[in-house]
Amino acid sequence: MIEPSWVESANQETSDFPLNNLPHGVFSRRNAPGSGRRLGIAIGDAVLDIAALAKEQVIGAPAGAENALVEPAWNHFMACGPRAWQDFRARLRELLAADGPETDRAAVSRAMVPLADVDLHLPFVVAEYTDFYSGRHHATNVGTMFRGAENALPPSWLHMPIGYNGRASTVVVSGTPVHRPWGQLKPPGRDAPEFAPCRRFDFELEMGAVVGLPSTMGRPVSVAEAETMIFGYVLLNDWSARDIQTWEYRPLGPFQAKATATTISPWIVTPAALEPFRVSGPERDRELLPYLHEPGPMMFDIDLEVTLRPDGAAADTTLTQTNFRELYFSPAQQICHHSSSGCRMSAGDLIGSGTISGPNPENRGSFLELAWGGKEPVGLAEGGTRVFLEDGDRVSMTGRAQGKGFRVGFGSCNGTVLPAIKYPGLGN
Ligand code: CA
């Protein structure tokens, strides 16, 4: 059921941000230079200026973290842990609920800025970025293309969440354009590589888990502990240069192919908001080792969609529709496994899920799969086809957990592909 708010726009069935949601973001007022980046909570078609509310003592910072609400990123608050997160959410609900006390409504109204008047920024400083590969349909599709159906899944795949350490430096917020990367490419049939703009630039539909509560070096965490460390979730596009990847990936995995950019949605949706949508993971083909056992259902029912709009086009083409629950390993299992060596997890670590494809062709989460390695062009709404991304293409991802008469939405995760830059020293 929708939780009614006195903020009318939050009670619309189609709002991503009803009182049930209360996602965390960072904004600045457009046309107000110098006002800086501030913490915000989305409610209906507005963002609540948390620094303003803290200044007026309408909402309190966690004990021992007095500055946590006036900083330009949520990291400090995130590190305070689940009890502080719960108290903060409870206070927000009190302030915004239709049947809540009316004492502070004037102050809350003053702190609301229309979403149309703000620019959104990265909601947290990304400490480190790890990308997993836990979508079984994706791993099977890619493995089938590269190694044949018999050897599609690597031998370890069903036993542990496979991942690699990516780059935090190129994680960007939705709306940031992305230049087509340069790289070493070796087209089939040629005996030497060339250095050129990527010709097989792709998106990957993923979700990111954001670590809030840190862990200690040398002390692995259980799956249950890992879940309590997760502050929230974002949509994530892991831009991928397939031709660079093909030439470089053996034996150490992706490097430059995945380092151009990783785009995330601007709002961190909390586990508390997603709790009504909790579901079990898939059946296991192989029994997992005990350290990876789940104490209960650890996935969420979140519908995901990707659309494409070429430069100048009037209509979006829906490329794929799938669901977060298609993942084989949950974010909690990924973090547990990540810490198993003694690796420390920090507030602000971003954990990519891996590409989330579903069982059918219309559920595939990348062009590599949709166009099956370039062999099956995808038709566009206004004519024309694609096998990979072209310059000017805008990729948009949306996600929502759909309740009865309300949704918990993630906003948009989008980015436009710009032409490759003029490369330094090449005279191109
Ligand atoms: Ca990926």
Side-chain angles (χ1 to χ4, degrees), residues 129 131-132 164 204 206 238 240 258 354-355:
Y129 166 49
D131 195 30
F132 281 91
Y164 67 92
E204 286 190 339
E206 304 194 20
D238 184 30
S240 298
K258 306 275 189 171
T355 306

Side-chain angles (χ1 to χ4, degrees), residues 36-168:
R37 297 187 180 196
R38 304 164 81 85
L39 303 183
I41 296 288
I43 178 77
D45 57 15
V47 53
L48 201 53
D49 182 340
I50 294 302
L53 288 182
K55 198 173 166 195
E56 295 207 36
Q57 300 185 325
V58 173
I59 196 157
E66 275 61 40
N67 292 327
L69 299 182
V70 295
E71 291 173 3
W74 283 100
N75 297 59
H76 192 176
F77 176 82
M78 282 157 42
C80 293
R83 173 56 78 76
W85 311 340
Q86 285 155 17
D87 291 349
F88 183 76
R89 181 177 172 84
R91 178 60 180 149
L92 285 173
R93 286 159 64 118
E94 197 173 70
L95 291 171
L96 292 165
D99 60 358
E102 297 183 20
T103 335
D104 294 308
R105 282 191 192 175
V108 172
S109 296
R110 282 196 301 277
M112 288 210 291
V113 187
L115 273 171
D117 296 341
V118 304
D119 291 318
L120 296 170
H121 306 280
L122 278 180
F124 62 105
V125 177
V126 182
E128 299 193 57
Y129 166 49
T130 305
D131 195 30
F132 281 91
Y133 187 58
S134 293
R136 183 171 186 171
H137 300 292
H138 172 73
T140 304
N141 287 337
V142 173
T144 301
M145 269 180 262
F146 291 164
R147 290 182 295 273
E150 305 293 290
N151 303 307
L153 287 182
S156 60
W157 200 94
L158 290 167
H159 298 278
M160 65 179 179
I162 294 175
Y164 67 92
N165 289 304
R167 290 293 297 178

